Amino acid sequence: MSVTVATLGFPRIGPRRELKTELESHWAGRSDAESLLAAAARLRAGNWAWQRERGADVIPSNDFSLYDHVLDTSVMVGAIPPAYGWTGGAVDCATYFAMARGTQGGAACAHGHAPHGAGGVPAAEMTKWFDTNYHYLVPEFSADQVFRLSSTKPLDEYNEARAQGIETRPVLLGPVSYLLLGKARGGDFDPLTLLPRLLPVYVAMLRALADAGAGWVQIDEPSLVLDLSDAARAAYAQAYAVLHAALDGTRLMLATYFGALGDNLATALALPVDGLHIDLVRAPGQLQAVLDGARADLVLSLGVIDGRNVWRADLNAILAAIAPAVRSGRALQLAPSCSLLHSPLDLDRESALDGDVRSWLAFAVQKIGELAILARALNEGAEAVRGELDAASAAVASRRTSPRINNPAVRARVVEGMGQEGRITPFPARQAVQREALNLPPFPTTTIGSFPQTPEVRQARAAQAKGVLSDDAYEAFLKEEIAGAIRWQEEAGLDVLVHGEFERNDMVQYFGERLSGFVFTRHGWVQSYGSRCVRPPIIHGDVARPAPMTVGWWKYAQSLTARPMKGMLTGPVTILNWSFVRDDQPRETTCRQIAYAIRDEVVDLERAGAAVIQIDEAALREGLPLRRRDWQAYLDWAVACFRIASSGVADGTQIHTHMCYSEFNDIIAAIAAMDADVISIETARSKMELLDAFVGHRYPAEIGPGVYDIHSPREPSVDEMVALLKAAAERLDVGQIWVNPDCGLKTRKWPEVRPAIAGMVAAARVMRAG
């Protein structure tokens, strides 16, 4: 029986971020829904052809999305909250993007539909997809939830591929994971109790796919790698018994990823499915247990190529590792560990990348090629691809032994500093010194750091990079932008200012470009959410700071105002979690190296006169391991790294941090242990619910609960922000509360930002007046 190559999902954005361009054109009203859908169809066609040409035998469909695959599932099952005005039938683009981005009252949507209510409607809550930097729209359920088949997208895209001569395996997010990823609204109930109502919709879709000729359907159940309750395990048994009974001929591939099945293995193996995908990159040790317990006729899909990192694989080592599965004689598929959504598209476009480093890498397209080589080795014998196998092993060995990755001084500093993290003076004493020095009013106002990166800013940066604009002219341009931003902040009435970060391309890339041990791509874009794409840096060696990175810009900005100017830095854990990280040493070691580099910058900012320094740790929680038993070890070193970065300053220097969308309840003790003086968090979409964790823990420090959702173009009213601040004041001591947006304003436009920030300042003044 031959081994086949399968892909679980493919990058959606296109080689030149065509999806981003088309989405933003549509949202701006420059193109209609038909044009957007036509462009999406072209991208899908290209993706299918690309995978087939590179050697994939099993190609997914319905892995493409205009915004988010979890949102697509909500639309498919009709889980549209009443606020979006949906009354049944097909869900149109206006409703879809209203859930994704919100709507602004008083104007029609870009696609010509009327707004949803006079004040518009906020976007759905958004959070991180497991422990990745991908964001999904959180499903929202009511106790009387009605599910109905409201989109035929999986069927439509299967038929679309078939019309192009490509047989695909449609992908559905599994019903149990979908419910577990959602949240209950308007009552205290377990979303899993809705499973009997949800399953008929899945049955209808599976039958439609079967009628269309789909031989296999991939059902993703990533929640099977989490800590599950007995009720959740029972829900899996219930769900798949129903789905199995409804099918006639079409087979199900159950896909798990991001970790080991562990204590859920027996549950997974007992389900009446035809295939099982397991992640052997994150959890290589689970292979033998799966082989020992799996039915003889169960097709195993082995996730042997890392779908979440960029390193070239040691193909000989993989063949040795999966030898027990090969000897078992069962049907096998070789696949990435998870969807390639989390990988850049094509290394061949990186012609400017350093040759040595380039030889160590593989992006999505190359990863399919690696799988094809492995399949040939198993089907035709290793000698048929001996050159390719040995070249891969040589590249891996070259990286591990390269002198470019080793810095003895950096390694020694990490060892010498173990156990010496943290500020000496307790927070209450520091707080008193800081309040006297800063003399801020109650409900002090600030922003998170970045201001809109206008087309002019991006064009100037591109011109400077190409040599069209001189370095001196570029610096003069940036100084003018900073000066204008400071004048505007003073006019708006903000209390603690920022310089706007106009010189920064990205909050991680900017620092990585100034640290040793990093390399960068030109086209290695990865989707974060919707049209938001990032180019994660690649950490290939030991990390150090050769020179100050932000001090000059901070000194210039502070020279223009008498108000406090925040120094703005990205924290070590976030730099780590938002990079492709070397896999030849523990992540903790790399993070500690970054922490000392950031510490040097913090100390230099203080010496230059900065009284307020923000060290963003937006991604601290997203690095949390998926299994609770592994949490404490991660939190211990993550907190230690923040404390390394922040503890080199005097008591009067106020250290801020910022965290993005997170459920804080389970890690609130670790957040307190970070010992920041002020933390800002994203709470607008949750309507301050996320503050409950801080209240329950009696969080001692100051908090900036976001009152303005920057991920939506919608402008909140002053009354809305006052209501949010009053909700915060019911939970926190008034002296703890700062007033700020949810996150940085880089992705927004000035016409949106100016009135929203003016409203935020007005809301703070209302609160001060009592």
Side-chain angles (χ1 to χ4, degrees), residues 452-470:
Q453 293 262 325
T454 62
E456 292 77 15
V457 170
R458 294 194 298 270
Q459 289 164 10
R461 182 182 301 123
Q464 188 261 352
K466 294 175 182 177
V468 176
L469 186 66
S470 71

Side-chain angles (χ1 to χ4, degrees), residues 413-705:
R413 188 180 187 188
V414 167
V415 173
E416 292 166 3
M418 295 293 287
Q420 301 178 34
E421 308 92 4
R423 300 176 85 172
I424 297 173
T425 305
F427 169 73
R430 300 198 310 263
Q431 184 183 46
V433 176
Q434 292 162 16
R435 284 184 170 176
E436 181 176 356
L438 293 171
N439 193 28
L440 298 172
F443 298 97
T445 56
T446 190
T447 63
I448 302 304
S450 60
F451 283 143
Q453 293 262 325
T454 62
E456 292 77 15
V457 170
R458 294 194 298 270
Q459 289 164 10
R461 182 182 301 123
Q464 188 261 352
K466 294 175 182 177
V468 176
L469 186 66
S470 71
D471 291 348
D472 288 345
Y474 182 55
E475 181 176 335
F477 169 81
L478 292 174
K479 285 184 173 180
E480 185 176 342
E481 291 292 311
I482 291 169
I486 291 172
R487 286 194 299 271
W488 169 73
Q489 289 175 85
E490 290 184 326
E491 292 166 2
L494 287 164
D495 300 303
V496 177
L497 311 188
V498 298
H499 78 291
E501 303 180 14
F502 302 108
E503 79 284 5
R504 303 185 190 182
N505 41 23
D506 175 81
M507 65 180 291
V508 173
Q509 182 177 346
Y510 177 83
F511 291 96
E513 288 175 340
R514 287 154 181 81
L515 297 169
S516 63
F518 286 75
V519 294
F520 291 84
T521 65
R522 291 187 177 180
H523 309 286
W525 297 99
V526 178
Q527 184 182 34
S528 182
Y529 61 87
S531 68
R532 171 69 170 153
C533 302
V534 295
R535 267 186 311 168
I538 299 169
I539 305 176
H540 74 284
D542 291 334
V543 178
R545 187 198 71 147
M549 303 178 286
T550 67
V551 176
W553 290 115
W554 179 87
K555 289 172 69 174
Y556 171 72
Q558 185 65 82
S559 74
L560 302 178
T561 181
R563 300 186 192 185
M565 175 68 57
K566 278 198 288 191
M568 298 299 307
L569 305 172
T570 303
V573 183
T574 296
I575 291 176
L576 181 89
N577 285 335
W578 287 358
S579 299
F580 292 119
V581 183
R582 59 190 294 187
D583 57 0
D584 59 336
Q585 68 181 16
R587 290 172 68 87
E588 174 185 355
T589 301
T590 302
C591 197
R592 285 178 178 271
Q593 293 177 358
I594 301 169
Y596 280 108
I598 299 301
R599 178 191 180 96
D600 291 343
E601 189 72 12
V602 170
V603 170
D604 279 350
L605 280 168
E606 183 188 56
R607 287 174 181 160
V612 182
I613 301 173
Q614 182 169 309
I615 308 172
D616 284 346
E617 285 295 15
L620 185 137
R621 195 193 188 285
E622 96 180 25
L624 197 67
L626 298 179
R627 292 288 190 154
R628 187 177 291 269
R629 65 175 178 267
D630 302 321
W631 284 10
Q632 196 58 53
Y634 164 77
L635 290 171
D636 285 348
W637 63 254
V639 168
C641 287
F642 180 85
R643 289 165 68 100
I644 289 169
S646 62
S647 62
V649 296
D651 294 345
T653 300
Q654 189 175 72
I655 297 292
H656 289 226
T657 192
H658 171 71
M659 291 188 180
C660 287
Y661 290 114
S662 293
E663 295 291 344
F664 295 114
N665 290 281
D666 293 324
I667 64 166
I668 189 64
I671 294 173
M674 292 168 66
D675 200 24
D677 300 306
V678 182
I679 182 173
S680 55
I681 58 176
E682 301 189 2
T683 53
R685 289 197 184 191
S686 75
K687 299 177 175 59
M688 297 291 162
E689 285 181 5
L690 293 179
L691 280 181
D692 293 341
F694 293 83
V695 175
H697 187 75
R698 298 185 179 275
Y699 187 75
E702 299 176 15
I703 308 176

Side-chain angles (χ1 to χ4, degrees), residues 111-297:
H111 11 70
H113 295 273
H116 299 266
V121 62
E125 186 174 337
M126 185 164 62
T127 194
K128 295 296 177 71
W129 174 250
F130 294 82
D131 59 349
T132 75
N133 189 33
Y134 178 81
H135 300 62
Y136 75 93
L137 276 296
V138 179
E140 181 179 314
F141 309 121
S142 61
D144 59 353
Q145 184 72 49
V146 174
F147 296 108
R148 67 192 91 170
L149 186 61
S150 303
S151 166
T152 57
K153 177 179 179 291
L155 175 64
D156 298 341
E157 293 184 7
Y158 171 77
N159 286 330
E160 185 181 311
R162 205 171 213 205
Q164 296 169 27
I166 299 176
E167 182 63 27
T168 61
R169 184 171 69 186
V171 181
L172 301 177
L173 175 60
V176 180
S177 289
Y178 174 69
L179 291 175
L180 290 173
L181 291 167
K183 66 187 303 181
R185 287 287 193 192
D188 184 16
F189 68 94
D190 184 349
L192 284 177
T193 61
L194 303 175
L195 184 61
R197 302 182 213 171
L198 177 63
L199 288 174
V201 180
Y202 273 81
V203 167
M205 178 50 64
L206 287 171
R207 284 178 173 165
L209 288 167
D211 290 343
W216 282 84
V217 175
Q218 174 184 319
I219 300 195
D220 288 359
E221 289 285 6
S223 292
L224 275 167
V225 306
L226 304 179
D227 295 315
L228 294 180
S229 65
D230 290 341
R233 293 191 183 100
Y236 274 107
Q238 175 189 0
Y240 285 85
V242 171
L243 299 183
H244 176 72
L247 289 175
D248 182 16
T250 294
R251 296 190 286 177
L252 297 183
M253 172 62 72
L254 180 71
T256 67
Y257 40 83
F258 299 153
L261 286 161
D263 54 358
N264 301 320
L265 176 60
T267 298
L269 292 178
L271 298 179
V273 296
D274 305 281
L276 175 66
H277 173 83
I278 55 174
D279 185 338
L280 295 181
V281 174
R282 281 286 187 93
Q286 68 177 326
L287 176 58
Q288 192 58 55
V290 172
L291 289 172
D292 290 344
R295 303 188 321 267
D297 65 338

